[in-house]
Structure formats: structure tokens, C-alpha cells
Amino acid sequence: MGDPHLAVAGVDPFAGRAPSWGRRGVQHDFGAPRASGLACRASKDSPHEPGVSARRRSGMEAKRGWPCSRWLRGLFMGVSVLASAVAPAQASGPAPGPAVMALQVDATDQVHKVFQIRQRLPVGGDGAVTLRYPQWQAASHAPTGQVGRLAGLVVQANGQPVAWTRDPLDPHAFRLRAPAGTRALDVKFTYLSPRVGNLAMTRQIVNVGWSNLLLYPAGVDVRELQVQAEVRLPAGMQFATSLEVDRRDGDVVRFRPASLQTLVDSPVIAGRHVRTVSVSDSPDLPVTLTLFATRPEDLALPEAAFAPLRASVAEVQRLFGARRRAAYRLLVVLDERMGGPGGIEHRHSTETFLPASVFARPEDNLRNLDLALHEYIHAWNGTQFLPAGMEQRHFNHPLQNSLLWVYEGLTQYLGKVAAARGGMRTLAQALDDLALDAAAAETRAARGWKPLRDSVHDPVILSGRGIEWPDFTGKKDYYVDGALLWLAVDVEIRSRSGGRLSLDDFVRVFFAERRGADALHVYTEADLLATLERLVPGDWPRFFAARLDTLADAGLVQALARGGYRLAYVDEPTETFRQDAQDRGVDDYLSSAGMAVGKAGLLRAVRWDGPAFRAGLTAGARLVGINGQPYDAGTLRAALAAGGPLALDAEIDGERVAVRVEAGSGLRYPRLVRSEPGPALIDAIFSRP
Ligand SMILES: [Zn+2]
């Protein structure tokens, strides 16, 4: 209520007639003659456009015969800035201002899950122009933009079609030749969003991710190019975004001009069932949580349901030190079909995709509890403070991910710490969560050939592709092993300083906003080492080299012992383990027989060089018999619990194969147990200081 960025749609300006555009596929209709009532034909200077003559404006509008609506008229007014910017220097009129790209997104076709895009792009005079589709996405650290989802591209200049060709070496680049006198190109295309998995659009929720929904001229700096964006939302939807809203006209929302970088970093999420609550009333660091649900009952939560998140957000703010900044928005979609569990960080907002029950029944969602918190920590580490090489001047240049073990690893660790300190997880749950990570790190075959530092290349190597043998290739280990690395750093600081200092102190110093809360800060590995050295002198380069650059990784798991715990294997799973396996749809015996079994005996994972591997099994095989009995999940569990070798029958490539798995001594599930009596450092880390 009272939130200027969150409003209920009122009058639909398009109600009762066909939409001006959208759902037209590839029809070339820019220049088509229209009834006068639908064409913007200016006959005199508009008081809102001083200095733009009727002749010039007619060149932009009337001759082209763009469909006229209040929406589009507003767009043209925005583009008047562009007109003055790209006019020849000797032309009369106002002094050149910043070029503005106009972007309209129609997000109403929930049936076909497609977005219709129209753009007016400033171009400097005539000649060769290259339009780029964003390829490198900051949050995925990878070239995950999918130009294959762009279809129906039409480009026009002055109402005439302009032919385009793809760059022979880069399918994300469209080359064309703008005719003489061209000041702006009109572009339209359709974005085909996924229809199965990772949805951007359902009947209840629409996620407007701008980077998929635009082309931009090559050669511009995305931090400089201003964009006037508008979106047409499905009727009656509410929305939230960190963008500043200029005005809302029915279901059309017009945003204040923002740099292309800011726009792409500021998604708009809209929904039918939306609820916003404050999770930080701090006048310096206000934070709101906006929930988008598929079912309205998922929003019927008592205020107390948000108390642990509120306390954990306060812990994050205490870690980084409170500085005044604009309101921060946690945008949480309670529907995993839209890309979860997972999240995408932004400078002033986050997108997080979680199971619908995460606030109603947190005890059933132990592994996912800290996801929104992780993304919030990126408000500092990753968006305001950026590793060198990850600044984007444009979206088609490779990112240099060398410091992902800081960007993601430290964030992952601090998310776990803040979640425990704020009460999102109990101490016991935090330890169980850590045990899963430690077990994964301990059994990872990748560390036999690939140092942890090399995992920073995984986003590029692995994104969007099926991963065979993930424990052998490694799978973005800078998260799990990275978190263990920063636990080791925390323990090291505490030990060396005799308990006087901790990683909290490092965070406060390293992320101090020396250049103000609004400035971007870029850090290097040398900065990090120097900060640690100032805090607690020691051979930090060697400390990190031993863990990042060797195949032994200096015993990340064994380092738990310095925190008072060791990784043990017991015959009963923790609740966290049970939920983690359930989320993956498997019975997880990776720590015993070296396999994870899904429905109807289908092997979903086999540990590289583990017992099942050595017996001749692989993912995709189907278990049909156990020790002479037909396969049954309970029979397998009982056979494993009894210990000793397993005689398994499996179907592999249509043949029945008998194998013998040396499963060892019974069921084994990871759990942390105290390694020594007395107070444990890890308990102190997970407790509110
Ligand atoms: Zn992250």
C-alpha cells in the first residue's frame, strides 16, 4: 500500500479493440497505412516537445504510421530527446543531449508464453550498423543469453524495411546498412520464452527479464546509453521492480529513463497474487520482500513467518555495516517452475525462486532457506563490489570470472552464517547443512585433477549443457568448496587473533564503501590479500594457494576439525539430508554404494570410481533385482543396511546384467560430530555475536 512501484492495474487503454501491436508474428506492418484515427500525425509543435519541428516530428511519426495509442504517443515524447541528440550538428534545435533508446515490451501473451518487443534505437547517421542481442549475463557468469529464442525480427528505417544479415562469426550480432539520413532504427521481434521449465510467464506470474527482450547498437557503453522502457502487463496484475516508475496507464507501465545496464539489472516481476512486507525498517537500509504466488493461499502467512528472514537480513546488514542506500527489494517467486530453487542477484533487487511452502513450512525447506539471503548479500559482494574483470561495458564481451571463489564462495558462506545467526536455521540445522557440503567436497573426484580455482571456468564450460559425471568434472565447486574455504579463512582469522577478530571484521573492512554507497567498487585478489594481511598478518598467499591451486586442497574438510567438528558417517540420515535427497527425487546412497536411485529403480547418479561404478553401473541403468528378490526401494535399503556385497540385476541398454556391488559396511549418511570437548569455534561462528 502506498508503494509507488506496486499498483493494481486500472483502466486498460486497449480494452475493447485489438491491441495496436503484438501477436502479429512476423508480419511487416510498420509502414502499413492505417486509418487516420490510429496514426500519430502531428500538425503543429507540441508544447511538450519544444524545438522539435512538425517537419522533424513527422519524419519520426506520421510518415512511419506507427500505431497510435496513448502508450505510443508517450513513447514518441520520450524519443524526442533522441531526435535532438542524433540530429546533425548544424541543424537548428536544442543542444545534443544523451541518446535514448525506446523499448516497449508486451508481456500479455501468457498463452503462448511469448513477449513482443518494439524498439527505437538511436544510430549515428548512415552506414553500417550492428545490433547485438545480449549474450553474457552477469548473474550466470556465462554466455547464457539465447538468441535462438529471438524470432520474427524486422528492422525498419524511415518506414522502409532494412535487410539484415548475421555476423558470420557471431550469431548474436545482426548487421545492416542504415540508409542515408537515418537517425533511428525501428526494430521489432518476438521473444519465445520457455514453455517447459524455467518459465518466464505463467497465467499467474510474469517475469520481465530485460536482457532477453532487447537489441542494442554495437559500440555503445551500456552504462551510458539511456533507455526509456515500457511494459504492458496482463490485465489486473500487480508488479514490483527497483526501476523508477514514471507513470502507469492502465496495464502499461512506463519507467523513468535508466542506463541500459541499470535496466538489464532491474527485472520487473508481475503477478495476480502478490504480497509485500517490510523485512528491514532500518531508515538506512530499508528492505522489502515481495512474494509472487501461483495460489493465493500461499500468501496467507502470519507476520511471524517473516521474523527469521527479518532477523537474518539484520545480520547481513550488521556484517556489512549500515550505509544509507535506496530501498532494496527481495522479489521472491513462490513457484519453482519459474527457475528454482535458485536466484539472480541485482544491484537494487534480487529474484529468488523458491518452493511455495518456504515461508509457511520452513522446516520442510531446510536446504533452500538461505537462498534469498545469499542474493541479498550480493547487494554488496558482486554488484556494488565487483571483482576486476566482471565489469560490463557491453553484454557481448566475455566476463573474466577469476574471483568467483570470492564473489560466490564468500557469499555462500556468509549466507549460511547469517541464516544461522538470524534463526532461519537452528545451530543443529546449520551443522547438518554444512555436513552435506563437506561430504560432497570430500568425495569429489574432480579434485583429483582440477584445482578449486579452475572451477571459475565452469559457468562457461557447463552452463546450459547436461553434465556427465558432475563429481568428476566438478560443478561450480566455488559454491560448496568455496564456502568451506571461507569457513577455513574465518577459523584462521579467529585462531591467529586469539579470538579477537573474525571474518566479520574482514567483511566490514573489505566492503567499506570508501567511495560512497552509490559508487561501484572494483576489487582484486591483491586487495583481498592486503586487507587480510593488515587485519591478521600471516602468509595469506600461501594459505589460499594451498586451497585453490593444489589437488590436495589442503584438506578443506579436515579444516572443520579446527572449528571443533569432524565429518562422520552414521546409519541414519539427518532431516536436511533426507529433504535434499527428496528434492532431487532420489534415495541417496552415494556415500555407501556410490549411487542415487530414483523412481522404479532408475539410477540417477553414480559416483565416479565408487562401488557402483566399479561394479559396472552407470546413470540410466535400471535396477530390477536385489539379492535374488525383485527390486523395491525398501528391499534395497534393507540390503544396504545389512552390509556386505549386493548382487544386483540391472537393465542396461535393453539387456539384463548381473553385477556385484561392494557396498561396504551398511548405510552411511554424513553428519558433523564434535572432534573435541569444550566450546567449538563453529558454534560461535553460527551464533549471534
Ligand atoms: Zn550467488
Side-chain angles (χ1 to χ4, degrees), residues 29-79:
D29 62 351
F30 282 153
R34 289 175 181 277
S36 60
L38 285 176
C40 294
R41 297 187 190 281
S43 58
K44 58 179 180 173
D45 286 356
S46 158
H48 301 291
E49 299 171 77
V52 179
S53 71
R55 180 186 56 76
R56 281 175 56 196
R57 195 171 49 251
S58 71
M60 293 162 49
E61 303 168 18
K63 273 168 62 183
R64 236 158 290 162
W66 272 45
C68 179
S69 67
R70 273 185 286 161
W71 183 12
L72 283 172
R73 275 199 297 273
L75 172 70
F76 292 140
M77 285 158 61
V79 170

Side-chain angles (χ1 to χ4, degrees), residues 343-384:
I344 302 173
E345 63 272 24
H346 302 287
R347 181 83 182 269
H348 299 293
S349 64
T350 67
E351 299 164 77
T352 312
F353 307 91
L354 291 168
S357 64
V358 72
F359 287 100
R361 295 192 307 281
E363 67 278 9
D364 293 345
N365 292 278
L366 293 174
R367 275 297 255 178
N368 301 320
L369 287 177
D370 56 357
L371 268 176
L373 219 50
H374 172 108
E375 305 306 339
Y376 180 48
I377 290 167
H378 277 315
W380 286 269
N381 187 23
T383 58
Q384 188 189 3

Side-chain angles (χ1 to χ4, degrees), residues 28 30 119 121 123 129 131 152-165 174-179 182 184-189 215:
H28 291 230
F30 282 153
Q119 289 182 258
L121 298 104
V123 291
V129 176
L131 301 180
L153 175 65
V154 178
V155 183
Q156 285 196 337
N158 302 319
Q160 299 302 314
V162 178
W164 54 264
T165 58
F174 298 88
R175 291 170 160 188
L176 49 94
R177 181 159 288 279
T182 300
L185 292 171
D186 299 317
V187 172
K188 74 167 188 175
F189 68 90
L215 295 173

Side-chain angles (χ1 to χ4, degrees), residues 220-255:
V220 302
D221 186 329
V222 298
R223 300 167 301 183
E224 305 292 333
L225 179 64
Q226 295 290 301
V227 186
Q228 170 79 72
E230 296 189 9
V231 62
R232 185 178 172 211
L233 298 170
M237 276 196 174
Q238 303 175 62
F239 71 96
T241 178
S242 60
L243 288 173
E244 285 190 68
V245 174
D246 182 23
R247 67 165 184 266
R248 178 163 193 167
D249 190 356
D251 296 311
V252 176
V253 185
R254 176 188 169 108
F255 302 99

